[in-house]
């Protein structure tokens, strides 16, 4: 009888070890997943900033000054820094890119039990989501104006002339949107982790 109780006691001790090993393995998986997502956010926001930053197109545009005169061919250039919404978009992606690299280092330092640092990282991730969504919204609004124009205020569409430029802007917006969704997913994962720890 004593040997059975000793065996049961030693078995329950092994269960505690197994639970600890399981928690460590789950923390490693969560840490690896978080690191991959941060690297992905870094790459997406960096690529979005670079794609927009190198976008430039020069075309010859016919301008008609008077109906009785023939049109004059004038070279026109489209650059990202001509529109403040695109400047904001590029700066927002550059900030998010730098933060993604910095937060990757911070997350390695937070593998232990530093919940204060974890809360700061969650807050900054949420801030990056807001920053990227606002930059994406501003760039999308101006991009749609370029694609469609606005007949109410007599703004002509320009993407029929600067097609390559508009395509690069659209690609940058899609990449940035994916980057913001990665940051949002990081916030959701962190919130779920905090919820599990509070139980």
């Amino acid at each position: 009888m004593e040997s059975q109780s000793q065996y049961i006691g030693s078995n329950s001790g092994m269960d505690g070890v197994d639970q600890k090993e399981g928690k460590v393995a789950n923390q490693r998986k969560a840490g690896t997943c978080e690191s991959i997502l941060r690297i992905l956010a870094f790459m997406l926001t960096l690529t979005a900033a670079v794609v927009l930053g190198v976008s430039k197109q020069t075309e010859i545009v016919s301008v008609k000054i008077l109906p009785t005169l023939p049109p004059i061919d004038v070279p026109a250039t489209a650059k990202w820094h001509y529109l403040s919404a695109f400047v904001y978009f590029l700066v927002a992606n550059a900030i998010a890119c730098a933060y993604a690299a910095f937060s990757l280092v911070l997350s390695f330092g937070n593998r232990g039990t530093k919940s204060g640092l974890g809360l700061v990282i969650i807050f900054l991730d949420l801030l990056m989501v807001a920053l990227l969504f606002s930059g994406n919204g501003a760039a999308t609004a101006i991009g749609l104006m370029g694609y469609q124009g606005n007949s109410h205020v007599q703004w002509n569409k320009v993407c029929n002339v600067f097609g390559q430029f508009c395509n690069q802007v659209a690609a940058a917006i899609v990449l940035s949107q994916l980057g913001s969704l990665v940051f949002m997913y990081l916030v959701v994962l962190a919130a779920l982790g905090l919820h599990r720890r509070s139980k």
Side-chain angles (χ1 to χ4, degrees):
M1 199 71 175
E2 274 181 44
S3 62
Q4 281 182 340
S5 64
Q6 285 176 351
Y7 179 72
I8 291 170
S10 64
N11 221 3
S12 65
M14 290 300 287
D15 287 344
V17 170
D18 288 344
Q19 285 178 352
K20 280 185 181 179
E21 286 176 2
K23 283 183 182 179
V24 169
N26 285 341
Q27 285 178 346
R28 283 186 190 148
K29 285 180 187 176
T32 303
C33 180
E34 181 183 351
S35 298
I36 290 169
L37 287 172
R38 291 192 185 282
I39 291 168
L40 183 61
F42 170 79
M43 290 170 48
L44 286 168
T45 52
L46 176 66
T47 307
V50 169
V51 166
L52 185 67
V54 299
S55 61
K56 175 185 173 182
Q57 186 178 1
T58 302
E59 292 292 332
I60 303 296
V61 179
S62 294
V63 178
K64 197 163 192 172
I65 298 172
L66 292 172
T68 57
L69 294 175
I72 301 170
D73 290 338
V74 178
T77 302
K79 293 182 182 179
W80 64 272
H81 57 86
Y82 289 169
L83 294 163
S84 58
F86 291 159
V87 173
Y88 177 65
F89 174 85
L90 187 117
V91 169
N93 275 279
I95 290 170
C97 175
Y99 168 73
F102 180 66
S103 68
L104 189 61
V105 175
L106 282 180
S107 67
F108 283 127
N110 192 38
R111 292 285 164 93
T113 58
K114 299 172 187 165
S115 62
L117 183 59
L119 288 174
V120 169
I121 291 173
I122 292 170
F123 175 75
L124 291 174
D125 285 346
L126 195 56
L127 193 63
M128 290 306 113
V129 171
L131 180 67
L132 287 172
F133 275 144
S134 66
N136 294 340
T140 302
I142 294 299
L144 284 174
M145 194 74 67
Y147 272 113
Q148 298 173 349
N150 189 330
S151 60
H152 301 292
V153 291
Q154 301 302 315
W155 288 346
N156 296 328
K157 57 184 177 180
V158 295
C159 287
N160 56 341
V161 178
F162 300 104
Q164 177 190 346
F165 177 79
C166 289
N167 290 338
Q168 282 184 273
V169 169
I173 291 171
V174 168
L175 289 167
S176 180
Q177 189 66 35
L178 291 173
S180 61
L181 291 175
V182 170
F183 276 114
M184 183 182 267
Y185 189 61
L186 281 166
V187 171
V188 169
L189 283 179
L192 288 173
L194 285 175
H195 179 69
R196 275 191 222 111
R197 282 184 219 150
S198 68
K199 284 184 176 181

